[in-house]
Amino acid sequence: MAGATSLWYFDHCRQLAASRQLRAGKPIKAMSFRLHLLLYVLLALELQAFTLPIHQAKSSSRFSSIGDLCGIQYDEPLFRPPAEWRSLILQVTLGCSWNKCTFCEMYQEKSFQARPIEDIIDELDRVKTIGGSKYVRDVFLADGDAMTLPTGALEKILDVINEKLPRVRRISSYCLPRNIRGKSVESLSRLRDKGLSLVYVGCESGDDTVLSAVQKGETFDTSLDALTKLKEAGMKRSVMILIGLGGKALSSQHALHSAALSV
């Protein structure tokens, strides 16, 4: 269900269970742990956005993305969600602004930095010059959390994308809950209006104990606040929850509190 509000599926299942209880003439009760966990697992399987490396072997004649085909030189390693396999990938940042999560090795080799807008314009000009602009429908903003950029910087990038690639229908990005903290619903709405309509939010868990153990730097409340803001701004959210992150000891609370992020 890439591109859809991630926790809709859980909400749908929860409402369906309640309606069945009503039709059966039974009072609506809290879901049993077994059902709650089952729905959580289905949610995670449906919406997990496991990142895929898209390295291109130097000796290979095959291109791994439209950006490679257009001659864009990427700062590797480079990652994107599976649903973005057809997208033009633009590295507007390098690395991850947090880069402390114990489970993640994606950007350990990189120091976080925002790329100059001039470099991004040059890459878009390259795509346009080679004739690739008419084939680009989707754009993914890399690296780990491009949404950490100030709203003004993101607006400039989106304006250039829309100017150079007039047939683009969707722009997306990875996002950490902390990236949204300093952004208002109004500023997020402006980004959505300029085409940034989908964000892949790395919540990983809704349980504070689990989040602390993996050094995520977030809490249930910060994640919920970010998801709520994005929803109010009209952005689609694909929420990443890591199955098994709590291990056996914290499995129940990891499942239940992650499911509670449904907004």
Side-chain angles (χ1 to χ4, degrees), residues 24-98:
K26 300 177 181 179
I28 298 177
K29 299 178 181 179
M31 287 186 292
S32 67
F33 167 72
R34 182 175 298 177
L35 176 58
H36 217 134
L37 182 59
L38 173 61
L39 294 181
Y40 165 70
V41 170
L42 289 173
L43 166 72
L45 289 174
E46 177 76 17
L47 302 165
Q48 186 85 270
F50 290 114
T51 52
L52 297 179
I54 52 173
H55 304 289
Q56 176 192 2
K58 291 183 172 61
S59 60
S60 173
S61 61
R62 296 181 63 187
F63 294 99
S64 57
S65 73
I66 190 171
D68 289 320
L69 187 61
C70 293
I72 293 179
Q73 300 297 311
Y74 290 113
D75 188 315
E76 297 193 21
L78 182 64
F79 299 87
R80 50 90 177 152
E84 303 297 331
W85 66 276
R86 292 182 299 181
S87 301
L88 172 66
I89 300 175
L90 287 179
Q91 284 182 302
V92 300
T93 61
L94 299 179
C96 170
S97 65
W98 178 247

Side-chain angles (χ1 to χ4, degrees), residues 148-164:
T148 193
L149 293 175
T151 301
L154 286 168
E155 286 183 300
K156 290 180 182 178
I157 292 170
L158 296 174
D159 286 340
V160 174
I161 291 173
N162 289 316
E163 175 190 349
K164 305 289 184 181

Side-chain angles (χ1 to χ4, degrees), residues 161-258:
I161 291 173
N162 289 316
E163 175 190 349
K164 305 289 184 181
L165 307 174
R167 301 185 71 178
V168 163
R169 61 186 180 183
R170 188 193 74 190
I171 303 170
S172 59
S173 170
Y174 281 136
C175 174
L176 298 178
R178 65 170 40 79
N179 299 157
I180 306 302
R181 202 166 298 155
K183 293 179 172 64
S184 65
V185 173
E186 291 72 23
S187 64
L188 291 170
S189 297
R190 292 201 306 272
L191 297 177
R192 180 210 60 210
D193 291 341
K194 290 178 181 290
L196 182 54
S197 57
L198 168 63
V199 287
Y200 298 88
V201 187
C203 291
E204 328 307 353
S205 176
D207 183 74
D208 288 350
T209 303
V210 174
L211 291 169
S212 176
V214 298
Q215 298 179 25
K216 180 66 182 178
E218 301 285 356
T219 64
F220 174 86
D221 289 335
T222 61
S223 295
L224 186 64
D225 181 63
L227 294 174
T228 301
K229 274 188 180 181
L230 291 166
K231 179 181 180 180
E232 292 175 353
M235 284 189 177
K236 295 179 180 178
R237 306 151 298 160
S238 182
V239 180
M240 293 177 281
I241 300 294
L242 297 184
I243 299 175
L245 191 61
K248 291 184 178 180
L250 303 177
S251 177
S252 298
Q253 61 199 71
H254 172 50
L256 293 171
H257 294 157
S258 295

Side-chain angles (χ1 to χ4, degrees), residues 70 72 88 90 117-133 160 163-165:
C70 293
I72 293 179
L88 172 66
L90 287 179
I117 185 68
E118 293 78 14
D119 292 351
I120 299 169
I121 293 174
D122 287 345
E123 291 179 350
L124 289 170
D125 282 338
R126 181 185 292 272
V127 173
K128 185 176 180 179
T129 299
I130 204 173
S133 59
V160 174
E163 175 190 349
K164 305 289 184 181
L165 307 174

